[in-house]
Amino acid sequence: MFSQILLFTINLLPANVGHFLCCLIKSIPVLKDFLPSPQQEPVTFSNRKGLQCISPLMRSVEETPQPILTKVKGHIPKWLNGSLLRNGPGKFEFGEEKFNHWFDGMALLHQFQLENGIVTYRSKFLQSDSYVTNSRHNRIVVSEFGTLAMPDPCKSIFGRFISWFEMPRPTDNCSVNYVVYKGDYYVSTETNFMRKVDPETLETKEKVDWSKFVVVNGATAHPHYEPDGTAYNMGNSYGKHGSSYSIIRIPPQNSNRDDMLQGAKVLCSIAPAEKMKPSYYHSFGMSENYVVFIEQPIKINLCRVITSKFLGKPIADGINWEPQYKTRFHVVNKHTGELLPGQFYSKPFATFHQINAFEDQGCVVLDLCCQDDGGSLHIYQLQNLRKAGEGLDQIYNSTARAFPRRFVLPLNVDSSVPVGQNLSPLSYTSASAVKEVDGTVWCMHENLHSEDLEEVGGLEFPQINYSRCNGRKYRFFYGCGFRHLVGDSLIKMDTETKKMKIWQEDGFYPSEPVFVPVPKATAEDSGVILSVVVTPLQ
Ligand SMILES: [Fe+2]
């Protein structure tokens, strides 16, 4: 009751005075507890009915090792030659045992070769240790994100009992993304393992362990690159004292092609808000001089992860949306590894893919796809995706929509900066960054879209003309609309006018769209969007 009266009183005051009082109250420990929890907007959910069943997209397929001709709908310019490489789950069971989560499926490598307007396709299963071992035993031997492998039934009772106490070994089922380090192609998941692959033949090559080169226990599947090939990534480091977030730099290609990740360095370590509860993250932002890490309230409960096997639960059960935490932005100087002292917070939101980041007038501008509810990781259970009728509608309507948002992070926040004032000097964005009494900076976003984006289910899987625009001020980005649990349209968004163009076809886009830069880029960040509907082979 007291907090309601307090909030009501503050709301009656002029905005600046109200904000100042809020800041003041937060700085007094006794009164702080009476304030409501972090400001939360209503979460945008949909209310769609009669969704088409997508179960056929969620079944195992055969590989197509020899290139086959494809039917091209539309027109592929003749000058656009090369290979489009995609990756994703393609096998969901071994023998009688089935994976539970979409992300658990065995990695199937896809290659679309474009030559003179003709496209050929081939695919091969990644010959990961997980795939090979599961195939050999005709059952699931290696645990994945949402599936806990059962003990070997051929073991003795004592052996099976003991195996529950062994830590699950990380998978090398690298089904998330293709990445390039030092000129070599790899496929990546988010564990400490990657697999080198031949982009021409799709052959699986060496298994690479991040922890052999740098003190991390994994890395994201969305690194950033500089024009010279220098790569940046992030990974968690776990030790006896808990965890830390590490920003990694991998040098560009050198003369020795077999040295894998040699020379990789931890540029900066960041302490989590709670050592035993680090945040999950899927990507991060990078401007010309800074890396921006978003510490979101999707929390990895390390105690639960460590004991998950003993409790008979998959690792996914230890990762949860905990909106009692705010979202925090950490800014690191790429050249010095210095973590900037500014403490930037916003209301809790979840983000999986950043769009772009650039610097302007002493600020980092950060564009992200954001959801106001971060429970979607658990939505993508295969049993949910294979539903039909009302059950499927209900799953879709319980998933928060993702929308592109802009944040502004002022780089210099010292003691001379006034409290309660918007520190963003940028006239083209309504995103604000206000210093509070405790020295932190409260960031409010600008929507990078109009209301019509809600009608197409929001936007995810953002892409920009990377080599031309990443880290620079830009205008256009591209992504998938989500009027279903998988993308069903392609969108080009204008960040200045908030107007969008939509390509809508009958099919679905289960993979992220790919942006192919046009060699002579125009003022429009122009390029070609390629979308290929892959029909599962019988
Ligand atoms: Fe991703």
Side-chain angles (χ1 to χ4, degrees):
M1 177 60 94
F2 181 67
S3 66
Q4 284 172 341
I5 295 167
L6 201 60
L7 189 66
F8 179 74
T9 312
I10 288 168
N11 284 341
L12 289 179
L13 296 166
N16 280 344
V17 180
H19 182 84
F20 178 76
L21 276 183
C22 254
C23 295
L24 195 67
I25 289 163
K26 279 184 198 172
S27 69
I28 303 170
V30 178
L31 293 181
K32 197 175 177 178
D33 294 339
F34 288 102
L35 273 178
S37 55
Q39 180 190 354
Q40 288 187 37
E41 281 179 15
V43 182
T44 304
F45 292 105
S46 298
N47 188 24
R48 288 178 63 79
K49 291 190 172 69
L51 288 174
Q52 182 186 341
C53 179
I54 53 169
S55 182
L57 290 176
M58 304 298 155
R59 68 182 179 208
S60 298
V61 295
E62 299 294 326
E63 59 184 10
T64 309
Q66 296 305 320
I68 57 168
L69 266 178
T70 64
K71 195 172 151 189
V72 176
K73 200 172 174 181
H75 172 70
I76 294 183
K78 287 205 166 160
W79 52 260
L80 190 59
N81 296 310
S83 286
L84 169 63
L85 302 170
R86 310 303 294 149
N87 189 7
K91 183 172 172 59
F92 299 99
E93 65 284 304
F94 285 92
E96 296 297 306
E97 297 185 5
K98 295 176 170 54
F99 290 114
N100 299 324
H101 199 282
W102 196 15
F103 303 167
D104 300 342
M106 294 289 101
L108 182 61
L109 311 179
H110 307 272
Q111 178 200 63
F112 301 88
Q113 264 193 336
L114 286 69
E115 204 173 331
N116 293 321
I118 293 170
V119 183
T120 54
Y121 167 78
R122 77 163 104 186
S123 63
K124 285 183 185 173
F125 277 105
L126 181 73
Q127 298 300 302
S128 61
D129 289 354
S130 300
Y131 180 87
V132 171
T133 312
N134 292 341
S135 300
R136 193 187 311 133
H137 291 85
N138 199 31
R139 68 181 187 86
I140 296 169
V141 179
V142 183
S143 294
E144 299 290 341
F145 173 71
T147 306
L148 178 69
M150 292 293 120
D152 185 351
C154 299
K155 273 187 178 175
S156 65
I157 292 174
F158 179 71
R160 271 183 279 163
F161 176 74
I162 288 296
S163 69
W164 286 113
F165 298 92
E166 295 165 352
M167 278 295 286
R169 52 179 158 153
T171 183
D172 65 340
N173 175 41
C174 302
S175 62
V176 182
N177 202 9
Y178 279 88
V179 291
V180 180
Y181 294 110
K182 302 171 116 181
D184 292 324
Y185 282 75
Y186 298 84
V187 282
S188 175
T189 177
E190 294 179 338
T191 67
N192 54 318
F193 293 124
M194 290 191 298
R195 293 303 299 234
K196 208 172 182 179
V197 289
D198 184 326
E200 296 294 327
T201 65
L202 300 186
E203 292 302 318
T204 304
K205 296 165 84 176
E206 296 92 325
K207 182 176 176 177
V208 179
D209 184 346
W210 275 99
S211 63
K212 294 273 191 297
F213 298 91
V214 68
V215 190
V216 291
N217 298 90
T220 80
H222 290 293
H224 276 291
Y225 305 102
E226 289 194 338
D228 71 351
T230 302
Y232 290 82
N233 206 339
M234 287 201 58
N236 279 3
S237 304
Y238 300 118
K240 57 183 177 183
H241 299 299
S243 61
S244 60
Y245 310 113
S246 297
I247 294 169
I248 314 156
R249 177 165 54 206
I250 303 95
Q253 188 174 326
N254 59 18
S255 53
N256 182 357
R257 295 299 306 271
D258 295 323
D259 68 357
M260 307 285 190
L261 302 173
Q262 207 69 49
K265 280 197 171 70
V266 170
L267 198 63
C268 175
S269 283
I270 302 168
E274 282 188 48
K275 283 268 180 191
M276 291 305 285
K277 247 190 191 182
S279 292
Y280 169 78
Y281 49 93
H282 185 76
S283 70
F284 58 98
M286 188 176 89
S287 66
E288 191 184 344
N289 297 298
Y290 298 94
V291 164
V292 184
F293 165 53
I294 304 112
E295 191 177 17
Q296 61 184 346
I298 300 178
K299 293 288 178 181
I300 307 171
N301 186 326
L302 291 182
C303 291
R304 282 180 65 176
V305 168
I306 290 164
T307 56
S308 60
K309 191 172 178 189
F310 175 68
L311 298 171
K313 303 278 187 190
I315 283 173
D317 279 26
I319 302 176
N320 286 296
W321 170 241
E322 300 194 24
Q324 70 271 27
Y325 295 94
K326 300 171 197 165
T327 293
R328 182 173 178 182
F329 305 89
H330 300 269
V331 184
V332 174
N333 184 314
K334 267 163 65 178
H335 310 292
T336 63
E338 177 204 6
L339 176 65
L340 266 57
Q343 297 178 56
F344 307 100
Y345 290 94
S346 83
K347 72 185 180 72
F349 69 84
T351 181
F352 293 96
H353 296 106
Q354 66 90 36
I355 304 167
N356 199 0
F358 60 90
E359 293 154 39
D360 195 12
Q361 299 177 54
C363 299
V364 170
V365 179
L366 178 68
D367 296 346
L368 307 165
C369 286
C370 304
Q371 292 169 281
D372 290 316
D373 181 286
S376 56
L377 277 178
H378 296 287
I379 294 283
Y380 286 91
Q381 298 269 348
L382 285 163
Q383 59 169 5
N384 290 338
L385 298 173
R386 288 172 177 149
K387 285 185 176 176
E390 282 181 17
L392 180 63
D393 294 347
Q394 193 253 320
I395 292 294
Y396 174 80
N397 293 329
S398 64
T399 314
R401 301 293 92 219
F403 294 103
R405 292 175 180 169
R406 172 163 288 175
F407 292 88
V408 172
L409 312 174
L411 293 167
N412 298 308
V413 188
D414 57 36
S415 54
S416 64
V417 169
V419 169
Q421 189 177 312
N422 181 11
L423 306 179
S424 168
L426 307 176
S427 57
Y428 55 83
T429 174
S430 60
S432 63
V434 177
K435 188 179 170 188
E436 310 224 302
V437 167
D438 60 5
T440 62
V441 177
W442 186 254
C443 301
M444 297 273 279
H445 69 264
E446 173 199 10
N447 286 327
L448 285 181
H449 63 92
S450 306
E451 278 181 12
D452 54 356
L453 187 61
E454 288 181 26
E455 289 159 28
V456 293
L459 182 150
E460 244 292 356
F461 297 154
Q463 295 278 332
I464 55 169
N465 185 343
Y466 191 90
S467 57
R468 184 173 187 268
C469 300
N470 193 63
R472 300 190 182 97
K473 208 168 173 183
Y474 74 117
R475 182 165 175 187
F476 296 99
F477 65 88
Y478 306 77
C480 280
F482 274 79
R483 281 195 298 191
H484 207 301
L485 287 161
V486 290
D488 68 340
S489 62
L490 288 171
I491 296 170
K492 178 180 182 180
M493 184 66 77
D494 185 331
T495 60
E496 289 180 13
T497 64
K498 317 278 177 73
K499 286 186 178 159
M500 63 177 180
K501 285 184 182 169
I502 306 172
W503 288 264
Q504 176 79 49
E505 290 284 342
D506 297 333
F508 292 106
Y509 302 89
S511 178
E512 304 188 23
V514 174
F515 187 86
V516 180
V518 176
K520 287 180 184 168
T522 70
E524 274 210 346
D525 309 341
S526 185
V528 174
I529 285 270
L530 287 183
S531 67
V532 183
V533 180
V534 183
T535 309
L537 302 168
Q538 302 296 323

